[in-house]
Structure formats: structure tokens, C-alpha cells
Amino acid sequence: MQAPRVLEVRFQTEDSDHHGHRTHTSLHDASKSPAFRRLSLDDTTSEPRRFLIPVDATLTSLLSREDTDQNVQITIDDAGPKVLSLGTESSHGFKHFDIRGNYMLSNLLQELTLAKESGRKHIVLDEARLNENPVRRLSRLIQYSFWPNLTRRIDASSIEKAGRDPKDWTENPRPRIYIPQSCPDQIQYYEQLARDQPLIGLDVQVLTPRDLTPEGIRDLNNKPGLLALAMEEWTSSRTAAKELRGLPFVVPGGRFNEMYGWDSYMESLGLIGNERTDLAKSMVQNFCFCIKHYGKIFNANRTYYLGRTQPPFLTDMALRVFDKIRHEPDALPFLRDAILAAIKEYYTIWMASPRFDPLTGLSRYRPEGIGVPPETEASHFTHILEPYAKKYQMEYFEFVQAYNRNDGTITEPDLDEYFLHDRAVRESGHDTSYRLENVAANLATIDLNSLLYKYETDIARCIQTFFEDHLEIPANMCVAAHGMKPNQKETSAAWNRRAKSRRRAIDRYLWNESKGLYFDYDTVKREQTDYESATTFWAMWAGLASPHQAAALVIKALPKFEAFGGLVSGTAQSRGTVGIDRPSRQWDYPYGWAPQQILAWGGFLRYGFQDEAERLAYKWLYMVTKAFVDFNGIVVEKYDVTRPIDPHKVDAEYGNQGSDFKGVAKEGFGWVNASYVYGLTIVSTHMKRALGTCTPWETFRKATEASDEA
């Protein structure tokens, strides 16, 4: 009997033998090393193999054999045989060839799922697509699949998709949009859209000045909706008429289907790396629109976020875009608009009450608001509110409604304080963490003040370099209540003075010389906190650390945070013991997040610590790649960077966005996608090759050291 034809793919990835036990295969990439491919003796073809595949039958067979946990994913947790026979195109499906291994089979599942969704009955599939270098595959998916699938516009083309809100808690969710009074053209556009497409059920609302107050924001919770973003005039190719269309933006993914603040900055790094500067530019323009018409960059553009902003990255984001478009006719006006918007945001949000602390000269996350944040899961605050409901002899939801009314029926200063800090945690972007719990609104954090120092130095540089050292603030950008005067002149000297003043305050209140770390400062207790956070490295990213402080951060701080897959958000010691009564928080140990990695890499590179930046980037990229290979192409919001095998499995609140898909992941997660693109620009070519064979950092390090010694 002739031996069956077998293709054995040999990545170093956890797999299962026929007993379901996990085994490791070799480091070699079989597609480039024929010696590691086992073939029958009569197979002499040198052409790439192509398979002729009946979609429905193969998909059914594949899932029934391999998806043993029935989650419509093929992963190393499945105990199937890890082999499937496919017919070759050259034989019209008569001759069969076995493909083996978790990675190839999960790639097959992904390709078949896409084919079925597009209505294909048969497909021809290259072997190279199934055995694609995982770094190349993930990079390709991010650029050509994930970014397009995460892109939204708010206009007639996609209002149904953009308006959908998985967080909507009302009985009858429907697409709803709120438009500022100052945008009559948009009001007319959306009202006409609602008339032209009644099946959408679009509810068009005009946002009034009262709606921007804490009471107004609370009342809008009965009818939550999208907040309108910037639109542009264009000539329709269909009608040849001039129409409005929304400027596009990228959403994070999962349950987050709107434009988020600091997510957008991180995403822009990946978009620029993937030659999608146009998308990054439009997101900057959307932010400028928000500052002009709503007064701030939102946590995200939904009504329940009206009172909250997020970490400020506008100046760096605008400058990165400008660097790519500087030779285009509208480049300088684009930069001017962005810097003017950042100046307004700086004066009216970060240097104004209640966020500015005049005693230290530092700023805090301290948003205004009334009642319970409505966008969380229904049970999120149950443990906090139930004792109060019992105290007032009310049903749970009856108490929540009474408390939200803020009419004197419920008077609980401690509960008010709790939600003040809860809103501040969410404004910080680090929701949630024991670092910030019950204290966030009082903290002058190192992350926020590093970003504001970056604002100050960026604005100074822009005014001096691009605007002849004076920038006039137009009357429509001035807010008299915050000390802004129409047509006032901004100079680089003034902004440099602000930067130096903030740097002195940071050194005084946030730097700890003996520990070699920056800490947050409690502006109420007037003392430095002791929570060790990876945000300490943001000072390097912003360029405010001295060479001495940067060296101390690398020597003393870095070992506290470096783990198998990169940087943990905080140390285990600072987090403390967790258990049933004190559960894990997602921005604490052992979790790592893309923003912490990205900003640390940038900080280390800025101060000349190239080896550290490359090592940390490699560890993160390896972890993301390994999970992608072993778990059906998964890319998620956050990772447990201490877990070598299944880092996407987390037990913190909110679960893990990006993991709930059937057959094929279509979005990844915004800032992790970006971290992958950006991280690959930091590591060397040799490192990229090693990542393509799923080589762990320690294996790569030892191999390169041995090579250097030889």
C-alpha cells in the first residue's frame, strides 16, 4: 500500500497529540525548510500546492473532528486529531493530501468561514495561505482586514452600524444622534436622512447648552445616543451633487463601537505605519471638532461620556500626521487647527477647576457628573449599591433611580465621593485599578502630567517652528471664563515656561529618588502614593525625565515590571492580595496593555536604551503572535503577560474584548493591532525572522549570544 501523503508543519507552538496531550514541535518553518516536510517518495512536484475545497462539507467535517470544545474555534485546547485530508486542484480533488497541526487547521477554518459568508461553494486555496508565516499573516490581516472592519463613518452610508451600541441599557434601543446647535448643516442633513430612510428608525436630537451640564448629561441617560462628529463636503459620483459625509474614524472593537480618546491615538500609530495617514488625519479633525463644539475630547462620542475626557494625546497625534503630509497644500492649516484646539483644551479642561490643583500646579482626572455611570454591566455596582437600597428600604433599581435624581431624597456623601472617583478612573482610561480606586479624583498622576508636559513642549515647538513664534487665538476659540482673550498671542517662550514649571512640580511631588520611580501625588492628603505603576515610564516618553532619572528608571524600575510578555501594568506588591472579596482589576498585575508597551518603547528609544526597547517589543510581539497561532487568530484587548501559554485568558472584570468570535477574528482590537505594527518597526530583521518561527525571547537571546561568541 502506498504511504499517504502528509504535510507536517513545524512551528514551535503548543499542539495536541492523538490523546489530547500538549506537545511542542520544532522551531523550523516548514515552508522554508523542505527537510522538515515529510512527503511520500513519489511526490516530486516543486510547484506550490493548491487545494480544491468544497466549502460547506469541509467546514462541517473540520469542526466536527477538531472543534472538540464546540466554540467554533480550533485551538490548542481542542483534543481533535489535528489532521484533515484535502483534495488537490491539479487532480480536480481526486488525490488528497493531509494537512496537520493546529495552526494550519485554524487557518483553514478562518478561510472557510470567510468563503461561506461570501456565498462561495468551492474555493481554491494555496498551501502557502495555510502555512503562512504568522508575523506576515497577522500583519496582513491588520492592514487589509482589521482596520477596514473597525472603520466607521457617521452618515447615511453607515449610521445603522455606527449607531449600534452594545452597551445600550434602555428597553427599546434605537439609533440616535445628537447634534450641536452650532451645526445647522448637520441638523438638516440628519433630519433629511431620517425622512429618507425611515426603516432605520433614526432619532435626531439637537444638543442644547443645558445638555452639557451634569444635570443635562444625567437626563440624557434616558435616551442615550451618538454625538455627531465632523463632516466634509464632497461631490457624489452617483448624483454629481455636493453632499455631506462623515469623516472616518477607527473604533477599538468588541463592545466599543464609537471613537474613543486615547485609543484613537494608539490606533493612529498603527494606521500611519500601514500608510493610512488619511484615517489618522481624519481622527485628529474629529477631535478638533469635539473641542470646538463640545468643549473637550470625549472618553468616547456617546452622550453618557459628555462629562468625561481621556488622556490627552492630540499634539503628538497631530504632529505625527503633519510629518507625513507636510508637503500637501492643507498641511499647515491642519496643524494650526490642531494646535489651536489643543490650546483651548489645555486652558479650559486641564488648567481649570475642578481638574487643576493650584497648590501643586499639577492636574488631575476629576470629571463632573451626577449619579451612577450607566454604561457598565447591570451588575457592576450591585455590591456597592445594595446596602444603600436596604438602608432606604427600596428595591435595587428603585434606589438607583432615586439616587440619580439628586433631588434630596437620597443624601449619601460617601456614595457621592465613590462615584466621583469612579468617574475619574474612567476618565483616566485605566478603569479599573486598585491604584486609583476611591482616590482617583484626588491624584495628580504621573501619566496625566507627563502628557501635559508633552503638550506644553509640543505647542512651544510648533509656535516657534511653524508659526513664526506667535500664534493668534481667534475669537471663536476663546473662552473668557477661563482667562482666554480674543486674538491673544501665544508665544513659544510662554509655553516653555509652563513646561519648566510643570517639570519642577513633577520633580518635587512625583519623583522618588530613592526608589527610582515616579509616583502619583494625593492632592487632598498632600502626600505621595506608593503604588508602583508602569505609567512611571510615560515621563520618558514625554521627555521630561533627566538623563539621571531615565537611567534610574531603567535600572531600578524596569526589573519590577518586566515579565514574560512585556510590561505588567503594576507590581504584584502594589496590587496586594486578591480573592473573592477583593477581585482582580484589569489595569493591575498581572495584566499588560498595549498603551503601556507603546509608550515605554518610545521612552526607552528617546533616551538611547535601544536594547531595552527591542527586548520589550520582542516579548510583547512574541506573546501576541503565539496566542494568534495557538488560538485561531485571536487578538484581544489585554493580556496576562505572566502566562506563556494562553495569555489572552483573563479573570478580571469585563472579560476580554476581541475573543468572542466564531470561526474567524475580523477586527482584532484597535490598540493591540497598532502595537503590533509599531512594534515591528522597533525590532531588528533577525528578530522578525525569529518571531515568524515563534521563538521565545530566552531561546532567541541564548542563540544570538552563542552566535556572537562563535
Side-chain angles (χ1 to χ4, degrees), residues 94-128:
F94 179 74
K95 294 183 178 180
H96 283 70
F97 196 90
D98 285 354
I99 64 168
R100 293 180 179 271
N102 186 86
Y103 180 58
M104 291 188 73
L105 292 169
S106 69
N107 286 346
L108 177 61
L109 173 61
Q110 294 167 51
E111 301 294 339
L112 290 174
T113 301
L114 292 172
K116 184 178 178 64
E117 290 177 355
S118 64
R120 304 282 295 278
K121 298 301 182 182
H122 289 80
I123 59 171
V124 174
L125 194 60
D126 286 337
E127 173 192 327

Side-chain angles (χ1 to χ4, degrees), residues 11 68 85 156 284 327 415 449 477 484 523 550 657 699:
F11 287 110
T68 59
S85 182
V284 171
H327 299 300
L415 196 56
N449 286 282
M477 293 294 288
M484 298 180 70
T523 60
Q657 300 302 309
T699 304

